[in-house]
Amino acid sequence: IIIVIIIIYISTTIVTEETNKRTIKSLLTKPHKRSTILLSKIFACIITTIISMLVILIAQYIVGGITFGFDSYKSGYIGYNYTNGQVFTMNLFIYNLLVGISKLPMYVIMILFCIFIGIINNHTSMSMIVTLIIFLISNVVIVEWSKVESLSLVTRYFITNNWDFSTYLFDGISNISGVTLMSSIVIYIIYMVILLGAS
C-alpha cells in the first residue's frame, strides 16, 4: 500500500502541479512533442516507483533481520510449482525480485491512470482521492464480484483482474475463470494503449 500511495502522489502531481503553477506553458513552448513530454513523465514515475520498491525491500530486509535474526534469510522462500507439483526453495532476494518485476506492470497501469485523471482534473488532491477510491473499490468489490460465476463473465475483462502477473509465477493460475496469462497480457496491452491514447 505504501508503493500505491507513492505512485498516486507522484503521478497525479507530476501533471497537475505543472498546470496549477502554469509551468506547463513554458514547457509546451519548447520544441518537444506532447507525446515526448508525456512519456518522459511516465518514465520518471516508473523510475521513482522502482527506487521506492528497492528502498522498501531494503527496509523490510533490515527490520526482518533485526526482528527475526539475519540467519533466518538463509532458509529462503519455500514455494510450490503448479505444473510438476513439486515443492521448491529459492533465494529470498531472487523471489522478491521476481515478485517485484511481475508487479511492475500493475504499477505502470496505475501511473497511466493517475496521469490521465490528473490531466482531466487539474485539482491535485481531488485527483489523488478519486484514484485511491477507484483503486480500493477495484481491489475489493471487483475481486469479490469476480468470484461469482455469472459476474466473472464481465469482470474477467477488467484490468484489475489482469494486471498482477505475480499470480502466474511458478506456473500459477488465476482464481477467476477464463483468465489466463495470455488473456491477461492482451487485456493489459489494450488498457495500456487506451490510457496512453487518452492521456
Side-chain angles (χ1 to χ4, degrees):
I1 194 72
I2 294 171
I3 295 173
V4 170
I5 291 170
I6 290 170
I7 288 170
I8 290 173
Y9 177 76
I10 295 294
S11 54
T12 53
T13 57
I14 202 164
V15 174
T16 56
E17 287 299 309
E18 281 204 53
T19 306
N20 292 339
K21 293 179 181 176
R22 300 195 188 335
T23 55
I24 194 78
K25 290 181 180 179
S26 62
L27 183 62
L28 291 174
T29 60
K30 304 287 186 214
H32 302 294
K33 294 179 181 177
R34 289 177 185 232
S35 59
T36 306
I37 295 170
L38 179 65
L39 288 175
S40 65
K41 290 181 180 296
I42 291 168
F43 284 127
C45 290
I46 292 171
I47 290 169
T48 304
T49 302
I50 292 170
I51 292 170
S52 301
M53 290 169 66
L54 290 173
V55 168
I56 290 171
L57 181 65
I58 291 168
Q60 286 178 334
Y61 180 81
I62 292 170
V63 170
I66 292 170
T67 306
F68 300 108
F70 289 97
D71 290 337
S72 64
Y73 291 121
K74 291 179 183 175
S75 60
Y77 170 76
I78 300 171
Y80 181 78
N81 190 313
Y82 293 93
T83 301
N84 59 19
Q86 298 288 327
V87 175
F88 65 92
T89 58
M90 176 184 283
N91 182 294
L92 197 57
F93 177 77
I94 293 172
Y95 170 75
N96 283 325
L97 187 66
L98 285 173
V99 170
I101 290 170
S102 62
K103 285 189 178 284
L104 198 57
M106 175 175 71
Y107 299 143
V108 170
I109 286 289
M110 288 181 64
I111 288 167
L112 292 173
F113 183 76
C114 291
I115 288 175
F116 171 69
I117 293 292
I119 288 171
I120 63 172
N121 178 10
N122 289 331
H123 198 269
T124 305
S125 57
M126 181 60 83
S127 297
M128 286 192 271
I129 291 169
V130 166
T131 306
L132 189 58
I133 289 171
I134 290 171
F135 174 75
L136 292 175
I137 288 173
S138 66
N139 268 356
V140 176
V141 176
I142 294 176
V143 168
E144 291 302 317
W145 284 355
S146 299
K147 293 177 182 176
V148 178
E149 187 66 34
S150 60
L151 294 175
S152 71
L153 294 173
V154 175
T155 59
R156 72 176 65 157
Y157 300 108
F158 288 14
I159 188 62
T160 51
N161 289 332
N162 294 283
W163 65 4
D164 187 1
F165 291 101
S166 65
T167 304
Y168 305 109
L169 284 178
F170 317 116
D171 296 325
I173 57 171
S174 176
N175 58 357
I176 301 165
S177 65
V179 177
T180 63
L181 175 60
M182 192 50 82
S183 68
S184 290
I185 291 171
V186 170
I187 290 169
Y188 181 85
I189 291 171
I190 291 170
Y191 272 87
M192 191 173 195
V193 168
I194 289 171
L195 284 172
L196 271 172
S199 297

